[in-house]
Amino acid sequence: MGLFRVWNALEYYFPYFDIMEENWHELLLQYIPEMMEGSDLESFELTILKLTAHLHDAHVRLTNWEAVNRLMGKYAVPADLIRADGQFVIKQVYGTDCPLQPGDVVLKQDDQPIEEVAAYFTQYFSVPNEEKLANKVFTFLLRSENQTISLTVLRDGEEKNFDIQGVSNVPY
């Protein structure tokens, strides 16, 4: 029922279907089986997020922070990222306990290439372009369910591994 409510609200009030690359009606048919396979609140929320990501509208978002923390992880590396020359680069570090430095290029998070981590989260965010992707998705990279987050970075041409203590109660 929740899927139909979301789909119908968008069907009647979303103004940009005429410029979407995908057919909104076909998306409903695609997501009904996925919704039926779900068995809990988390699977429901993830399916809705994946559906709404097809809208490519940065105004669409899930504002249930408990759900966001379940999806993204409640611990975060105390640092901000930017995208430079196609790489994920540490922009700013918060606190003195974090061994990262501005300019470090993030290669892996918990032994997974950072590009794969970003691709996983991208499927849940409705963004119109690469610039907006940075604003929405970068906030949620470098997060984990584990308080210790392993990062591999490139610093001065050398790969370095760090186990970083994540912080909780992140304001996003």
Side-chain angles (χ1 to χ4, degrees):
M1 185 60 109
L3 173 64
F4 292 108
R5 285 182 176 164
V6 169
W7 189 87
N8 274 309
L10 291 164
E11 170 73 8
Y12 293 104
Y13 297 106
F14 186 70
Y16 304 115
F17 285 122
D18 58 326
I19 60 172
M20 277 183 60
E21 294 176 9
E22 298 167 285
N23 183 303
W24 185 241
H25 297 96
E26 290 175 11
L27 285 171
L28 175 63
L29 297 175
Q30 177 184 334
Y31 280 91
I32 290 173
E34 187 170 336
M35 186 62 75
M36 297 299 290
E37 290 173 9
S39 60
D40 57 11
L41 178 61
E42 183 175 355
S43 61
F44 167 77
E45 290 167 338
L46 292 177
T47 302
I48 295 299
L49 284 172
K50 284 171 44 175
L51 170 68
T52 58
H54 293 275
L55 298 172
H56 302 287
D57 184 338
H59 297 96
V60 176
R61 66 182 156 272
L62 179 64
T63 56
N64 176 349
W65 294 114
E66 287 180 25
V68 169
N69 282 333
R70 277 195 313 275
L71 173 63
M72 307 302 176
K74 77 179 217 178
Y75 296 102
V77 171
D80 288 334
L81 283 175
I82 59 171
R83 187 94 174 189
D85 295 328
Q87 298 178 314
F88 294 93
V89 180
I90 299 295
K91 176 182 174 185
Q92 183 174 1
V93 179
Y94 301 98
T96 57
D97 295 340
C98 184
L100 297 173
Q101 297 176 0
D104 285 347
V105 176
V106 179
L107 303 174
K108 294 181 182 178
Q109 177 178 333
D110 295 327
D111 294 322
Q112 185 176 11
I114 194 67
E115 292 81 10
E116 289 179 15
V117 176
Y120 171 78
F121 288 127
T122 299
Q123 70 180 327
Y124 297 109
F125 290 97
S126 183
V127 292
N129 55 44
E130 188 71 27
E131 181 182 324
K132 297 291 183 184
L133 177 67
N135 293 344
K136 273 201 156 181
V137 175
F138 286 11
T139 305
F140 298 105
L141 290 178
L142 307 185
R143 287 182 64 141
S144 176
E145 278 300 309
N146 303 314
Q147 189 165 11
T148 301
I149 303 165
S150 173
L151 289 182
T152 302
V153 301
L154 185 64
R155 180 185 293 166
D156 299 324
E158 183 180 333
E159 280 191 24
K160 295 185 177 275
N161 295 307
F162 297 106
D163 288 330
I164 299 162
Q165 287 303 112
V167 296
S168 62
N169 299 322
V170 182
Y172 37 79

